[in-house]
Amino acid sequence: MGAGGFGTVLLVEDNPDVAHASSGLLEQLGYAVRWVPDADAALKEIDHDGIDLVLSDIVMPGHMDGLGLAHAIRQLRPALPILLATGYSEAAQKARSAFPILHKPYQIHELSRALAKLTE
């Protein structure tokens, strides 16, 4: 998968409005999108083939947040690119060293740049 936006993104976002907006941006960039609302559903999707990268919110309800999910995915599929997104600076601080962070709200060019860096 190159920076041209080919492949399938697993979008992990608990807010349906944000998921809809993010899906639209990803589709404009040329990606297919599979949306799930939480970490448990994401881990089930990871078991299926066809996920080329993961874009996950950090702050989510449930027993596992996006950072925990990213670490779990890294164990299951070490080569799978993971981009985390958050509107909370504290959450970004905790995740910064381990995974790239996209700050919400983001514009399409910011999303495109972050995804291109992931897939270099």
Side-chain angles (χ1 to χ4, degrees):
M1 181 181 70
F6 299 103
T8 300
V9 175
L10 178 60
L11 176 62
V12 188
E13 172 60 61
D14 61 301
N15 182 317
D17 293 331
V18 173
H20 180 73
S22 297
S23 292
L25 293 177
L26 288 163
E27 288 166 354
Q28 284 180 54
L29 292 172
Y31 294 95
V33 180
R34 290 191 205 166
W35 170 58
V36 294
D38 58 42
D40 290 333
L43 290 172
K44 288 178 187 163
E45 268 312 301
I46 293 295
D47 283 341
H48 300 93
D49 286 332
I51 301 295
D52 297 300
L53 64 92
V54 176
L55 171 57
S56 178
D57 190 15
I58 295 176
V59 179
M60 296 185 291
H63 70 280
M64 186 183 299
D65 65 6
L67 183 56
L69 172 63
H71 284 293
I73 292 170
R74 181 71 29 95
Q75 292 293 314
L76 296 169
R77 304 243 328 255
L80 187 63
I82 302 167
L83 177 62
L84 297 176
T86 188
Y88 300 97
S89 60
E90 184 178 312
Q93 290 292 338
K94 287 197 291 186
R96 181 180 318 218
S97 62
F99 300 95
I101 305 290
L102 184 62
H103 294 277
K104 291 179 179 179
Y106 47 83
Q107 303 288 323
I108 193 166
H109 67 277
E110 294 165 322
L111 177 60
S112 179
R113 189 174 332 127
L115 292 173
K117 283 183 184 179
L118 264 188
T119 56
E120 287 178 339

